[in-house]
Amino acid sequence: MKTGSKGPTTLTREPRDAPQFYLTAPSPCPYLPDRQERKVFTHLIGGRAVGLNDQLTLSGFRRSQTIAYRPACERCRACVSVRVKVNDFRATRTFRRVMEQNADLAGLVGRTEPTSEQYSLFRRYLDARHGEGGMADMTVLDYSMMIEDSHVESRLVEYRAPDLNAPGETQLTAACLTDLLADGLSMVYSFYAPDQPRRSLGTFMILDHIERARRLGLPHVYLGYWVEGSQKMAYKARFLPQERLGMNGWERVG
């Protein structure tokens, strides 16, 4: 409060750590042909990062390292944030079969510390599944930054299977970088052995995270964006009931 000859004057000042938002230039959409994408983003750094990440996730943002982003396309609203309703989720027969097929896997929650074994699996996954995607050229340093560069509560879940060629040893089969939020788990990025399709490892990791959230008493598992018309993202619609973020907030489906 400043006092002058004309009486008291209130001074207002924007907090120094208030988030600043930026808009990317248009670029080709990775999900739908003949469309352009733009994103709005801000930085997740400092003491406010954890709370800000919680708030922005509720508003449809996703995290990548120290960046929170959300699609901001001018003529398209196809990207829809999706979260599974943990307490109401009931595994179908197909899902139960996937769990049985992976009963030999041990899921180990660890710190976000990259290893050469992780990068080897990550590289195999990219080459087999996303050889032409935006992450195709990621080096071991890029991978390390993806795992380590975070100011929020993150964990890396490793899924290990018995090594049939070395009794008593295990081998990394899948992994998921996961954020712990106030109201759920957010699956930031997952990858897995591409030469074991019968395991349905991508589906298994989601099912495992639903169970982990249930044990932690958390109501949601955030899956990122479901994109209607994109075959890459179609699998997310199978996990019901779920909520999708629309113009009227989070709306239940299933």
Side-chain angles (χ1 to χ4, degrees):
M1 183 80 70
K2 179 180 178 181
T3 302
S5 59
K6 295 184 180 180
T9 301
T10 301
L11 296 180
T12 59
R13 182 176 298 171
E14 185 178 358
R16 291 182 179 180
D17 57 352
Q20 301 294 311
F21 291 88
Y22 307 90
L23 188 64
T24 65
S27 61
C29 176
Y31 304 116
L32 300 175
D34 302 321
R35 299 197 191 186
Q36 296 284 301
E37 73 163 358
R38 301 189 77 178
K39 295 174 182 174
V40 60
F41 70 93
T42 190
H43 296 280
L44 292 171
I45 55 176
R48 292 190 58 194
V50 172
L52 183 59
N53 190 40
D54 285 340
Q55 295 172 16
L56 292 178
T57 300
L58 286 173
S59 300
F61 280 74
R62 293 287 287 169
R63 183 181 73 83
S64 176
Q65 296 176 228
T66 58
I67 296 293
Y69 67 91
R70 186 181 69 182
C73 308
E74 296 177 359
R75 297 181 178 85
C76 181
R77 296 293 183 270
C79 292
V80 178
S81 292
V82 170
R83 65 186 187 186
V84 181
K85 298 289 290 179
V86 169
N87 295 330
D88 297 334
F89 178 81
R90 297 295 180 270
T92 63
R93 181 180 300 178
T94 298
F95 286 156
R96 291 196 297 271
R97 187 179 304 120
V98 171
M99 295 296 289
E100 292 170 359
Q101 290 171 336
N102 292 284
D104 61 327
L105 295 185
L108 308 175
V109 181
R111 296 183 179 275
T112 51
E113 298 176 352
T115 66
S116 57
E117 185 184 25
Q118 292 168 15
Y119 180 70
S120 177
L121 179 62
F122 175 74
R123 190 71 261 166
R124 286 166 53 205
Y125 172 78
L126 285 184
D127 292 343
R129 300 293 299 268
H130 303 286
E132 298 180 355
M135 302 174 70
D137 296 329
M138 286 183 65
T139 65
V140 65
L141 179 59
D142 296 327
Y143 172 78
S144 297
M145 291 292 290
M146 181 179 77
I147 299 300
E148 291 181 317
D149 197 8
S150 171
H151 288 229
V152 304
E153 193 72 20
S154 301
R155 293 291 183 268
L156 189 70
V157 186
E158 289 190 345
Y159 298 90
R160 308 190 70 88
D163 190 338
L164 300 180
N165 297 317
E169 300 294 327
T170 63
Q171 58 184 354
L172 184 64
T173 304
C176 183
L177 179 63
T178 303
D179 285 351
L180 177 61
L181 306 174
D183 73 329
L185 299 177
S186 177
M187 300 180 69
V188 177
Y189 193 81
S190 59
F191 54 95
Y192 51 85
D195 56 349
Q196 301 186 39
R198 295 186 64 181
R199 282 187 179 273
S200 299
L201 288 165
T203 296
F204 169 71
M205 282 190 281
I206 294 175
L207 295 172
D208 181 70
H209 273 68
I210 292 172
E211 184 55 35
R212 289 177 184 274
R214 197 193 309 274
R215 293 199 299 266
L216 292 170
L218 298 172
H220 305 117
V221 171
Y222 289 84
L223 301 183
Y225 300 116
W226 168 72
V227 184
E228 187 172 12
S230 170
Q231 187 174 359
K232 290 181 182 179
M233 296 297 175
Y235 70 93
K236 297 181 182 181
R238 299 166 54 209
F239 297 88
L240 300 173
Q242 62 182 229
E243 289 181 329
R244 299 174 185 173
L245 185 58
M247 298 298 293
N248 298 316
W250 290 95
E251 299 177 329
R252 181 174 172 131
V253 176

